[in-house]
Amino acid sequence: MHCFDPRAAGAVQAVADHFGDEVYPGELLLSGAGRKIGSTATVFPLIVGGGRAADALRSITVSQHLFGVERVVVVHHSFCGATSFTAEGITSAWKEEQHSDISSLYDWDGIAITDFEKSLNYDVSLIRNSPGTPKHVEIYGLFYDIDSGELTELVRDVPAEAA
Ligand SMILES: [Zn+2]
């Protein structure tokens, strides 16, 4: 999963290249009648604010149910908007502008980013500890530099039997 910031769009190809055994974007598979019946892609991007796992948990469950998942990769990127606000800032602005109290609506540690190593560790743990995550998956936390396009692995959670 990665952020909806257009500057982070290159992260998907970078993830495919990083692991080497992934296909993206791949090619569509057509039936004899020309209908789109599948794809050769093995990377399925989840695009969510900040690339935060809280927004992606349900999609991980659905992905496993539909086609199986081997690896979940969380990507947070440099100069992300999620580093520009705090829980206090967004909740007080919301109260003023939208006239509603969202202070207890979300788990704020899973939204704003103060430190990329912390946010990636937080999200990898969140995914690992969700009953909606299959036990066998490898989970990675990668930092994406939007200027160089470079990915740096900061967190790796690989179950012992898969290592
Ligand atoms: Zn971002």
Side-chain angles (χ1 to χ4, degrees):
M1 71 212 61
H2 67 83
C3 185
F4 50 38
D5 186 329
R7 299 172 302 165
V12 186
Q13 189 62 60
V15 164
D17 296 343
H18 180 82
F19 290 99
D21 57 348
E22 300 288 0
V23 179
Y24 184 82
E27 283 166 30
L28 293 179
L29 303 174
L30 304 178
S31 72
R35 303 189 68 153
K36 295 170 187 165
I37 55 171
S39 157
T40 61
T42 60
V43 179
F44 296 81
L46 300 175
I47 302 172
V48 296
R52 300 306 310 259
D55 289 312
L57 292 175
R58 287 169 295 199
S59 293
I60 292 170
T61 302
V62 172
S63 306
Q64 171 62 24
H65 189 60
L66 290 180
F67 37 77
V69 175
E70 298 301 325
R71 184 184 286 147
V72 176
V73 183
V74 182
V75 178
H76 294 168
H77 71 92
S78 55
F79 304 105
C80 184
T83 63
S84 70
F85 62 86
T86 61
E88 294 72 31
I90 192 172
T91 52
S92 67
W94 201 267
K95 205 170 270 176
E96 193 164 306
E97 296 161 9
Q98 308 295 329
H99 314 292
S100 63
D101 180 7
I102 57 169
S103 58
S104 58
L105 184 59
Y106 304 116
D107 168 12
W108 293 100
D109 289 334
I111 298 177
I113 296 177
T114 53
D115 174 284
F116 288 110
E117 197 166 344
K118 243 186 235 170
S119 60
L120 286 166
N121 269 296
Y122 186 90
D123 281 5
V124 168
S125 297
L126 189 68
I127 294 167
R128 177 58 74 202
N129 295 322
S130 166
T133 299
K135 300 257 185 288
H136 69 273
V137 296
E138 301 177 2
I139 309 173
Y140 295 85
L142 305 183
F143 175 73
Y144 180 68
D145 183 314
I146 59 170
D147 291 311
S148 69
E150 202 175 304
L151 275 177
T152 307
E153 186 179 308
L154 296 181
V155 188
R156 175 190 291 220
D157 179 341
V158 175
E161 60 271 23

